[in-house]
Amino acid sequence: MMEKMIFGRYIPGESFVHKLDPRAKLLFVFGFIIIVFLANNAITYGILISFTFLVMLLSRIRPYFIINGLKPVLLLLVFTFFIHILFTKEGDLLFELGFLKVYEEGLRQGIFISIRFLVLVFMTTILTLTTSPISITDGLEVLLNPLKKVKFPVHELALMMSIALRFIPTLMDETDKIMKAQMARGSDLSAGPMKDRIKAVVPLLVPLFVSAFKRAEDLATAMEVRGYRGGEGRTRYRQLNWQLRDTVILVALIGLAVGLFLVRG
Amino acid sequence: MDIKLQQVEYAYAKGTPFEKRALYNVNMHIQSGTYQAIIGHTGSGKSTVLQHFNALLRPTSGTVVIGDRVIEAGKKQKNLKEVRQKVGIVFQFPEHQLFEETVLKDIMFGPMNFGMQEAVAKKRAEELITLVGLPESVLDKSPFDLSGGQMRRVAIAGVLAMEPDVIVLDEPTAGLDPRGQREIMDMFYALHQERGLTTILVTHSMEDAARYADYVSIMHEGRCVLTGTPTELFSDETKLREYRLELPRLVAFQRKVEKLIGEPLRELSLTEEHFAKQLAAYIKAGGRA
């Protein structure tokens, strides 16, 4: 089940998108999220879709893999689509079936919102698939640096994020192990009536929390012993390196925004 | 209960970019009532193999036969619970699986899942807690108040309480002090002998494999490359080295002694007691093998 999950996973690679600076990628995705809302007619949505497709090609990740991994999102998508279709009552009546009435505007909205949603999910997934968690945090820390002026704990946040990201796979492994150990003792998460399945979560969660506490304590001790005193006066081992291609994608983004602005209805 | 692996292959995350082959064409036959050790270098597929023994993993191709259950690749399996009751697994660091409020409840968790009466399960727990070397007063304590070694014993009792026919041990003594290691290993051996438990030990320790096992299988890069009695396997040092394994310390010591006295001793010693006897006999015989 977890093997097919692709959220937050990173596939190392050498593509154009992989080599981009994380700051550029973060700014790009952030900008893209805003730009998506500029689209409001068929042409603009067409441009968005082809742009996303281009980015996907540049990342050299098999489209099948992304689409397969996003299946869980599809459910949400279908849900929003139908909500729009059923509850928007504007424009001409397309057809009706009993109390079900589908209006033109509803259909239009449903399709557009779905595209918007899909494009966003695609772009953010490509970001996490092509950027190692550690460089995402590095990029974020630099981008959030201005917030230090208003006493926002940027370093602490970045540290927490990098530790959290680092331990996601470890905790996943541990979950898997404990689950198997309890399954070997006859508890079953994947079979039987709902009530039993919910009950079976306790033997999984308690050990997981206990070991997370232990791990946190050990990690804190190990950090302190190695002289960690907080963010003040630290130097960096990983340096970020802004290159021409990073500027290029941000320019491309601005180009996209201007383009959408011109053709939107 | 026999366990047979026939041309078992296994790949993690099959069909994704993270796909990782772990087992290639593994054939293994573990006879009922024997003590079988599985040794191999880190990453050789030992832990993957052992999860096939009670169908926690199902082969991506090939067949696993557990008693009279046949588990084939690609077929849906129902009622795996009965398999899991017959084959108990003590995982690495089993203390991480404790979760109940009291030790007693935790030991009873397994048996109750398999439908044992509460009173019976309670009696089993009381018997087992002394068997694993803890006082009965521990039963009312929280498992999280115990020391690491004690937790390990409680977890082992929890698996034994299911009354399995086959017990699979994945490095049961990793991280214990030497005395605790010896106690636990001796306890499993005693159980194996008294109750005729089929025992499968997955280990890094050549010493444990040599001392306790009837048969030893060597895993290497996802394949089961050699199976034989400990005497057979450990007499062939070059083969072992090929699979990046070492001789048990005692065997290495015997080889050194043989080098010094200039002739081989009659038998390969797998336990200190045997070696001492053999050496004494050699000396008594006036230095003749």
Side-chain angles (χ1 to χ4, degrees):
Chain A
M1 172 189 82
M2 299 208 179
E3 289 165 347
K4 289 243 163 67
M5 270 273 289
I6 64 167
F7 301 112
R9 288 190 94 157
Y10 165 60
I11 309 179
E14 284 292 311
S15 75
F16 176 80
V17 181
H18 277 92
K19 284 195 211 145
L20 287 168
D21 188 291
R23 284 170 295 181
K25 275 194 265 192
L26 281 166
L27 283 175
F28 179 86
V29 170
F30 190 65
F32 188 78
I33 291 172
I34 297 166
I35 285 173
V36 164
F37 292 95
L38 281 176
N40 66 354
N41 60 17
I43 308 171
T44 44
Y45 277 109
I47 295 175
L48 273 185
I49 292 176
S50 28
F51 192 77
T52 314
F53 195 69
L54 181 78
V55 172
M56 189 167 72
L57 285 184
L58 281 174
S59 74
R60 296 231 198 103
I61 295 171
R62 274 191 304 148
Y64 166 79
F65 173 66
I66 304 184
I67 292 164
N68 209 25
L70 290 183
K71 267 184 191 156
V73 179
L74 223 63
L75 207 73
L76 208 65
L77 202 75
V78 171
F79 181 72
T80 46
F81 178 72
F82 278 106
I83 290 280
H84 272 280
I85 277 198
L86 296 178
F87 292 100
T88 311
K89 306 219 180 288
E90 283 167 47
D92 302 330
L93 185 66
L94 286 181
F95 73 90
E96 75 176 286
L97 199 143
F99 69 98
L100 263 177
K101 292 192 178 104
V102 175
Y103 291 89
E104 192 194 344
E105 186 65 17
L107 188 66
R108 216 176 68 98
Q109 287 255 351
I111 293 174
F112 282 176
I113 297 282
S114 307
I115 294 177
R116 217 179 259 178
F117 194 67
L118 206 64
V119 162
L120 284 180
V121 174
F122 251 78
M123 218 40 131
T124 43
T125 308
I126 291 172
L127 170 79
T128 54
L129 283 177
T130 58
T131 321
S132 72
I134 214 87
S135 46
I136 291 187
T137 10
D138 280 352
L140 209 63
E141 184 172 2
V142 176
L143 290 179
L144 290 181
N145 243 343
L147 287 182
K148 270 189 186 155
K149 291 244 163 64
V150 291
K151 298 253 166 86
F152 185 80
V154 174
H155 168 78
E156 282 72 12
L157 184 78
L159 180 79
M160 261 154 44
M161 255 187 76
S162 61
I163 291 176
L165 288 169
R166 153 69 185 77
F167 279 103
I168 288 174
T170 316
L171 283 174
M172 289 276 240
D173 280 355
E174 196 149 321
T175 313
D176 187 59
K177 258 192 219 154
I178 295 171
M179 205 146 84
K180 279 181 174 157
Q182 306 298 28
M183 272 162 79
R185 294 210 282 165
S187 118
D188 207 341
L189 274 170
S190 56
M194 204 58 195
K195 203 184 107 215
D196 290 2
R197 283 196 216 188
I198 293 171
K199 261 192 186 163
V201 173
V202 176
L204 179 65
L205 279 188
V206 173
L208 210 58
F209 273 111
V210 169
S211 85
F213 277 119
K214 253 186 217 155
R215 208 184 286 282
E217 209 176 307
D218 289 350
L219 183 69
T221 314
M223 281 170 72
E224 219 169 308
V225 166
R226 293 214 242 162
Y228 179 77
R229 292 276 172 282
E232 209 72 7
R234 269 168 75 81
T235 52
R236 320 185 125 264
Y237 172 65
R238 290 180 308 273
Q239 303 285 345
L240 297 174
N241 187 5
W242 189 278
Q243 278 169 322
L244 182 63
R245 54 171 168 258
D246 301 309
T247 319
V248 169
I249 64 153
L250 291 187
V251 171
L253 188 74
I254 294 168
L256 177 75
V258 173
L260 287 179
F261 203 76
L262 291 180
V263 290
R264 75 196 291 253
Chain B
M1 206 164 71
D2 279 30
I3 296 181
K4 264 180 259 175
L5 270 62
Q6 289 158 347
Q7 286 154 22
V8 167
E9 315 216 328
Y10 188 79
Y12 286 99
K14 203 170 167 61
T16 73
F18 311 103
E19 178 170 331
K20 233 183 97 204
R21 272 303 270 290
L23 297 180
Y24 301 83
N25 193 19
V26 173
N27 291 291
M28 234 181 233
H29 184 185
I30 292 143
Q31 277 159 359
S32 190
T34 55
Y35 196 125
Q36 170 117 14
I38 299 174
I39 56 179
H41 207 261
T42 313
S44 58
K46 300 181 302 263
S47 295
T48 311
V49 156
L50 92 91
Q51 292 178 42
H52 283 82
F53 294 147
N54 74 348
L56 281 175
L57 293 181
R58 272 160 276 164
T60 36
S61 88
T63 316
V64 180
V65 183
I66 304 167
D68 43 21
R69 274 297 286 265
V70 181
I71 291 163
E72 268 177 276
K75 284 205 179 151
K76 282 234 167 185
Q77 294 290 333
K78 279 182 191 158
N79 268 329
L80 286 170
K81 259 192 173 181
E82 49 180 57
V83 175
R84 294 194 179 133
Q85 196 237 315
K86 284 179 190 156
V87 184
I89 297 192
V90 177
F91 280 94
Q92 252 178 63
F93 300 103
E95 58 271 28
H96 293 165
Q97 74 194 30
L98 301 177
F99 71 98
E100 279 283 14
E101 292 150 52
T102 65
V103 170
L104 176 72
K105 277 191 185 169
D106 204 282
I107 296 177
M108 284 162 64
F109 175 69
M112 305 265 289
N113 275 334
F114 294 117
M116 199 187 272
Q117 292 291 318
E118 197 174 336
V120 185
K122 202 171 166 194
K123 231 185 111 221
R124 291 281 300 152
E126 280 158 7
E127 283 166 30
L128 280 166
I129 201 76
T130 34
L131 185 76
V132 296
L134 293 175
E136 248 181 66
S137 59
V138 175
L139 285 175
D140 299 323
K141 285 191 189 162
S142 158
F144 299 108
D145 288 339
L146 304 178
S147 76
Q150 289 172 321
M151 281 167 87
R152 175 84 52 100
R153 285 160 198 260
V154 170
I156 289 171
V159 175
L160 290 174
M162 304 171 349
E163 304 196 296
D165 296 334
V166 180
I167 188 143
V168 182
L169 312 168
D170 188 3
E171 307 230 19
T173 59
L176 288 184
D177 60 285
R179 196 175 140 200
Q181 287 187 10
R182 196 56 180 269
E183 277 173 16
I184 299 247
M185 288 311 293
D186 283 343
M187 179 200 79
F188 281 124
Y189 192 62
L191 274 176
H192 164 72
Q193 292 206 305
E194 284 162 23
R195 306 193 185 176
L197 265 181
T198 311
T199 310
I200 304 170
L201 171 71
V202 175
T203 183
H204 271 120
S205 157
M206 300 300 130
E207 284 71 34
D208 285 345
R211 186 174 184 89
Y212 299 105
D214 301 322
Y215 297 101
V216 181
S217 289
I218 297 180
M219 295 281 302
H220 184 66
E221 290 174 354
R223 286 164 229 269
C224 175
V225 285
L226 263 185
T227 301
T229 63
T231 320
E232 283 164 19
L233 285 191
F234 292 128
S235 354
D236 196 348
E237 200 184 336
T238 40
K239 260 278 164 56
L240 282 178
R241 206 166 285 153
E242 198 182 307
Y243 301 127
R244 293 199 285 164
L245 295 174
E246 279 178 24
L247 284 178
R249 240 168 288 143
L250 183 66
V251 177
F253 180 62
Q254 183 179 347
R255 295 292 182 234
K256 256 185 211 157
V257 170
E258 284 169 348
K259 217 173 181 184
L260 283 177
I261 60 178
E263 59 182 326
L265 293 170
R266 201 173 293 160
E267 289 168 46
L268 194 74
S269 290
L270 297 173
T271 61
E272 285 92 353
E273 296 82 1
H274 183 270
F275 181 69
K277 267 189 207 150
Q278 195 174 195
L279 201 61
Y282 176 82
I283 293 166
K284 266 193 200 142
R288 236 162 300 157

